[in-house]
Amino acid sequence: MSESAHFDSLIDRIYEAGLIPSLWPAVLGELGAAIGGNGGFLFGVRDGYTSAVNSVEYDQLMPVFLRDGWSERDPNLPRAIALNHAGFVTDYDLLSEEEIATNDVYCNFYRQHGIGYRAGTIIPMPSGDSIAIVMPRHQDHGPVPREVVDLLDGLRPHLARASLAANRIGFERARAQVDALQALGLPGAVLRGSGGVFAVNSLFDALVPSLFQDRAQRVTVTDVAADALLAEALATLPLAGGRTVKSMPVAATAGHVPMVLHVIPVRGSARDVFTQATALLVVTPVDRAAVPTAEVLQGLFDLTPAEARVARGVGQAVTIDALADATGVNRETVRSQLKAVLSKTGLSRQQELVSLLAGKAFRGG
């Protein structure tokens, strides 16, 4: 295959990856090979590197880069953003030779793993985020030569268009998620970052601004108690253990029935570098006509089966003594289970739980 035909084929693969994101690792590997480098990286960028796709050579290395603070100390990204160059740049466009020779990330991470030099570019997205494409080169091969930068600049328009296509597809996928919730009669929103709204369905939109408000930092709830619980749930999303659904009640008002909010983390392959969705926010109205079944309560608030039975009993105005007799345990066990229910539902008093399950307004306190 001629060199021209080879690059035509590579361009075709770049556009194919724009439509099928799972192809990006292979395309980054092909791109690295085409320029005499070692694979490649594609980062989501907001305030720093937020997520990444890499060629297979770096499957073990990339989690270390993002997890152990190296990405936060990398001097290249802030320098490249400040430079604002619509093309590829090299290490020496961003740092002096002395900085490269003494920088902690270069000395103790990049060169420890065979990454001596790099060429990279930043591509802005309509969402306000950016995509950074970085092509590494082994230190034994020396700095990235200008002819390689020129070649990459020739490919950059194709990489930008493919990234934009993938970003748009990611947005449509997010819209499809919330539209699917709408088909089930559930208001829903896709959240990004620390809880900012990325996409909503019309049922959720109808609750703005009476119940939800789309703030710059994160979505908020007009119910102060529920908003405090939502803030806590969103704060746990980046944590390794923050994988479970978080649920929280919202008091009824003259304008809406009691509701339960569910923060569902987006993990693994469901989290695309081009949308960087972090969670689904799903709203479940509580039916005023009946106390939910124990199974429903268990699903709404992550209760154990025993806790769900206690919650349902309380909602039906069953006394602690009667619940103890019915379940064959002592009063203190039932009280302990009720305390766990109140904690998981974000409530402080038994009467608040009764009011929630009865469909009446309650007050936090």
Side-chain angles (χ1 to χ4, degrees):
M1 181 185 295
S2 69
E3 182 174 342
S4 175
H6 174 74
F7 279 98
D8 286 345
S9 175
L10 179 56
I11 290 169
D12 288 343
R13 293 279 286 158
I14 288 170
Y15 282 114
E16 189 177 7
L19 300 176
I20 308 173
S22 61
L23 296 179
W24 279 106
V27 169
L28 290 168
E30 292 175 31
L31 184 57
I35 62 171
N38 302 73
F41 312 109
L42 188 153
F43 294 97
V45 175
R46 192 172 301 119
D47 296 319
Y49 298 117
T50 59
S51 53
V53 172
N54 55 269
S55 54
V56 295
E57 297 95 326
Y58 303 106
D59 282 347
Q60 302 302 314
L61 188 61
M62 182 55 69
V64 177
F65 180 68
L66 294 175
R67 182 190 65 225
D68 293 355
W70 298 106
S71 63
E72 298 169 8
R73 301 196 298 275
D74 182 350
N76 287 280
L77 181 61
R79 297 279 182 95
I81 292 172
L83 186 62
N84 193 28
H85 175 66
F88 277 82
V89 295
T90 71
D91 311 87
Y92 287 105
D93 293 318
L94 304 175
L95 304 171
S96 69
E97 188 165 353
E98 181 181 357
E99 286 176 311
I100 293 172
T102 59
N103 180 264
D104 174 49
V105 179
Y106 273 86
C107 294
N108 298 312
F109 185 81
Y110 289 141
R111 287 178 179 168
Q112 292 293 322
H113 298 286
I115 303 173
Y117 302 97
R118 306 183 304 167
T121 190
I122 295 177
I123 300 169
M125 295 286 110
S127 61
D129 298 332
S130 299
I131 296 296
I133 298 174
V134 179
M135 307 308 300
R137 182 179 176 90
H138 196 282
Q139 57 260 37
D140 291 348
H141 298 160
V144 178
R146 184 50 51 185
E147 57 266 26
V148 168
V149 174
D150 292 342
L151 189 152
L152 288 170
D153 280 344
L155 292 173
R156 187 178 184 273
H158 306 293
L159 291 165
R161 282 190 285 270
S163 298
L164 288 168
N167 182 264
R168 185 63 200 177
I169 289 170
F171 177 78
E172 294 302 333
R173 187 183 301 124
R175 283 304 307 264
Q177 289 174 320
V178 291
D179 286 347
L181 293 172
Q182 177 148 331
L184 298 175
L186 297 175
V190 175
L191 306 182
R192 324 173 65 175
S194 58
V197 173
F198 179 56
V200 303
N201 61 22
S202 62
L203 293 175
F204 189 96
D205 197 41
L207 297 174
V208 179
S210 61
L211 180 59
F212 296 103
Q213 295 182 349
D214 184 7
R215 304 294 190 186
Q217 185 64 24
R218 67 172 178 87
V219 62
T220 62
V221 189
T222 54
D223 181 308
V224 175
D227 188 62
L229 294 170
L230 177 60
E232 181 181 345
L234 293 173
T236 66
L237 285 174
L239 303 180
R243 297 178 179 273
T244 58
V245 176
K246 306 290 185 181
S247 301
M248 58 222 67
V250 178
T253 68
H256 65 76
V257 300
M259 297 181 177
V260 180
L261 309 184
H262 309 276
V263 178
I264 305 172
V266 176
R267 292 288 185 260
S269 59
R271 186 175 185 180
D272 189 284
V273 70
F274 295 100
T275 62
Q276 300 163 25
T278 52
L280 284 174
L281 181 58
V282 182
V283 183
T284 305
V286 177
D287 187 357
R288 290 179 181 270
V291 175
T293 65
E295 291 76 16
V296 170
L297 290 171
Q298 186 176 350
L300 288 177
F301 296 108
D302 304 327
L303 305 179
T304 67
E307 291 165 353
R309 286 192 294 271
V310 168
R312 177 166 169 77
V314 167
Q316 294 173 318
V318 179
T319 66
I320 297 293
D321 288 337
L323 285 170
D325 291 341
T327 55
V329 298
N330 60 47
R331 287 170 40 95
E332 292 309 309
T333 297
V334 175
R335 289 188 181 281
S336 177
Q337 292 167 340
L338 177 57
K339 185 177 179 180
V341 170
L342 293 176
S343 175
K344 289 183 178 181
T345 55
L347 305 175
S348 58
R349 297 195 301 269
Q350 182 175 335
Q351 185 55 44
E352 292 175 349
L353 180 63
V354 173
S355 297
L356 171 69
L357 299 180
K360 299 174 183 177
F362 62 87
R363 297 288 186 268

